[in-house]
Amino acid sequence: MNAYEKVSAFLGHHGFPVGGIDINAVIDGLLYDMRKGLSEGTGEPCSMDGAQDMIPTWSLPPKETPKNTSVIVIDAGGTNFRSCLVSFDADGKPTISNMEKCAMPGIDRELSKKEFFDAIATNLEHLKNASTRIGFCFSYAMSITPDGDGEVIAFSKEIKASEVIGSRVGACLADALVEHGWNRPEKIVLLNDTTSALLAGATTATGGRSYSSYIGLILGTGLNSAYIESEKILKIANAAQDIPAQQIVVCESGKYDKLPRATFDVEFDRTTNTPNRYVMEKMCSGGYLGPVVLRAVKLAGRAGLFSKPVASAIELLTKAELKDIDQFLYTPYNTTTAYGSIMAKGTAEDYDTLYVLLDAFIDRSARLTAAIIAASVIKSGQGTRASQPVCILCEGTTFAKTHNLKQRLIGYLEDVLRRQRKLHFEIISMDNAITLGAAVAGLSR
């Protein structure tokens, strides 16, 4: 029996769009949700209210790169906590030093507010008083205040620190640092990793390059995007501060929820700390693809898609990550990988069936991520001139390393943006983008 026939029937039975999710339909839904978030804010999950936070940052990329100065940079990501010192010379060229990496606080157990910020202060001991300014890339949903601090809205990526929600991260960290013997920092600037990526992208407009706007996209453990909004943001229209005519907006794209979900998506969602939230993220990002796909593979085995030896071995698999999917797709016949060792018990048809099934999830991630980028380009109102495309800096290991994901994503964008809408874009990447973007932010506000 043809592997595509079996997998298509199985996926269709479980509510997974056979042949690929409609990217333009997702773009339309995202644009609706973005406008709702900008005008009214967020509402109840699984409703027609806005799901994306659409967070104003009150900032834009600076006109010039910092020079002759240093800044402490913190990158609190999905899994790792990184910290370093970034120094800019007289030409604005950055140098990174004193880099250290450790586990993100709150991964292993629930932390109180004091424990959370004490853990961060402890992680920064090697940088004590190295600069009066700190650029803090905090990769979780937060409301950015006009003075550059950030109030935590929610944690994703299974971080357990519920008492921190509602706190001002910069102010709390400054207090913790003083308790640990620091001089009180002059300024701690909070920003999201997507804003960091966007700011890093803006530094590449040199040597004759010209962009009409900038977008930051993160597809790693989690999923999010940021773009520059040029229209009036209604939900802050009555703010006491002067509202900039343009500003970077962090979408919190991973929270978008107006999507068809398959049986395995819904079942997995019930096991997480955030049921019915971060719906898009759980369908796309590296932190979730492994366990979602494992549920699908087990269901496929029970449905008779694999031979009995393979189906029995799959039932014994208790854990799978994105790397296990990747290892099979890159090297199907490597018997030392999680899925490869199981397939060695089966037939050629088993190999093809698993390959087609796993690949369907990677393709869905590429389509949904392409829709996020396309919606941000469209909402920016830029990219109409071929010589001044929108610069999209993409970061994250899921984007960079997942089998065939990047190539497909670019192909889908070529179709829905350039061919269908005559909108122009350029996807770029750079080393240490998040660190550089956070350093620029820490020195420019």
Side-chain angles (χ1 to χ4, degrees), residues 83-412:
S83 54
C84 65
L85 186 71
V86 178
S87 301
F88 293 88
D89 66 15
D91 297 319
K93 182 180 178 180
T95 301
I96 298 172
S97 62
N98 300 91
M99 173 71 79
E100 288 193 5
K101 181 176 77 171
C102 56
M104 178 65 195
I107 287 181
D108 295 331
R109 65 181 181 89
E110 181 74 29
L111 298 182
S112 68
K113 179 178 174 180
K114 178 170 175 47
E115 288 174 326
F116 184 80
F117 288 104
D118 276 345
I120 294 177
T122 299
N123 292 345
L124 297 177
E125 190 65 27
H126 66 294
L127 295 168
K128 182 179 286 186
N129 297 326
S131 174
T132 61
R133 282 182 164 258
I134 298 174
F136 193 164
C137 178
F138 190 75
S139 303
Y140 306 92
M142 59 181 170
S143 175
I144 299 298
T145 60
D147 62 355
D149 206 339
E151 296 178 357
V152 181
I153 297 171
F155 282 108
S156 58
K157 308 160 194 171
E158 305 304 296
I159 296 298
K160 295 170 278 292
S162 57
E163 197 176 295
V164 178
I165 294 172
S167 302
R168 281 198 169 205
V169 176
C172 291
L173 177 57
D175 290 341
L177 291 175
V178 170
E179 289 183 7
H180 282 246
W182 287 56
N183 300 326
R184 183 170 293 276
E186 172 192 340
K187 186 81 171 179
I188 300 179
V189 177
L190 270 290
L191 70 163
N192 187 275
D193 51 359
T194 55
T195 304
S196 294
L198 187 154
L199 292 173
T203 67
T204 66
T206 60
R209 268 180 161 176
S210 181
Y211 296 112
S212 55
S213 193
Y214 301 93
I215 289 171
L217 184 282
I218 305 294
L219 180 59
T221 303
L223 168 70
N224 200 3
S225 64
Y227 74 104
I228 298 175
E229 177 59 62
S230 300
E231 295 183 357
K232 185 177 182 180
I233 300 176
L234 296 179
K235 68 181 179 182
I236 60 170
N238 296 322
Q241 293 80 9
D242 291 336
I243 300 172
Q246 292 182 307
Q247 61 178 299
I248 300 167
V249 170
V250 176
C251 300
E252 291 300 329
S253 312
K255 296 175 77 172
Y256 180 66
D257 61 1
K258 297 162 182 66
L259 289 164
R261 290 193 288 172
T263 304
F264 9 87
D265 296 311
V266 176
E267 289 181 353
F268 170 73
D269 181 56
R270 295 190 186 118
T271 70
T272 67
N273 292 338
T274 53
N276 290 322
R277 300 188 69 197
Y278 298 95
V279 169
M280 179 80 96
E281 184 169 277
K282 291 169 186 172
M283 295 169 72
C284 289
S285 69
Y288 299 104
L289 275 173
V292 171
V293 168
L294 179 58
R295 285 178 173 269
V297 171
K298 287 192 172 187
L299 280 173
R302 295 166 197 163
L305 269 70
F306 300 110
S307 63
K308 288 185 178 180
V310 167
S312 298
I314 288 171
E315 283 295 329
L316 299 177
L317 193 59
T318 59
K319 182 181 179 182
E321 301 175 2
L322 176 58
K323 69 176 182 179
D324 299 311
I325 299 172
D326 259 345
Q327 286 172 350
F328 180 78
L329 292 177
Y330 278 114
T331 57
Y333 295 94
N334 181 348
T335 58
T336 66
T337 67
Y339 284 116
S341 62
I342 291 173
M343 289 299 110
K345 306 175 189 295
T347 66
E349 187 175 317
D350 286 326
Y351 276 95
D352 289 345
T353 300
L354 181 62
Y355 195 102
V356 172
L357 181 56
L358 300 186
D359 186 65
F361 283 87
I362 303 304
D363 183 70
R364 183 177 72 169
S365 181
R367 287 172 179 267
L368 292 176
T369 308
I372 289 170
I373 293 173
S376 293
V377 172
I378 294 166
K379 190 69 181 71
S380 76
Q382 302 300 318
T384 57
R385 293 184 57 201
S387 62
Q388 286 191 311
V390 175
C391 174
I392 304 161
L393 194 144
C394 296
E395 276 286 304
T397 53
T398 304
F399 170 81
K401 296 183 178 180
T402 302
H403 184 266
N404 277 346
L405 189 147
K406 179 179 178 179
Q407 300 92 313
R408 285 180 177 167
L409 183 152
I410 293 173
Y412 293 138

Side-chain angles (χ1 to χ4, degrees), residues 416-434:
V416 298
L417 284 180
R418 204 183 308 271
R419 187 181 68 82
Q420 295 182 27
R421 293 175 172 85
K422 301 297 185 291
L423 294 177
H424 303 275
F425 67 94
E426 181 179 345
I427 288 184
I428 68 169
S429 60
M430 61 188 299
D431 293 336
N432 302 308
I434 303 304

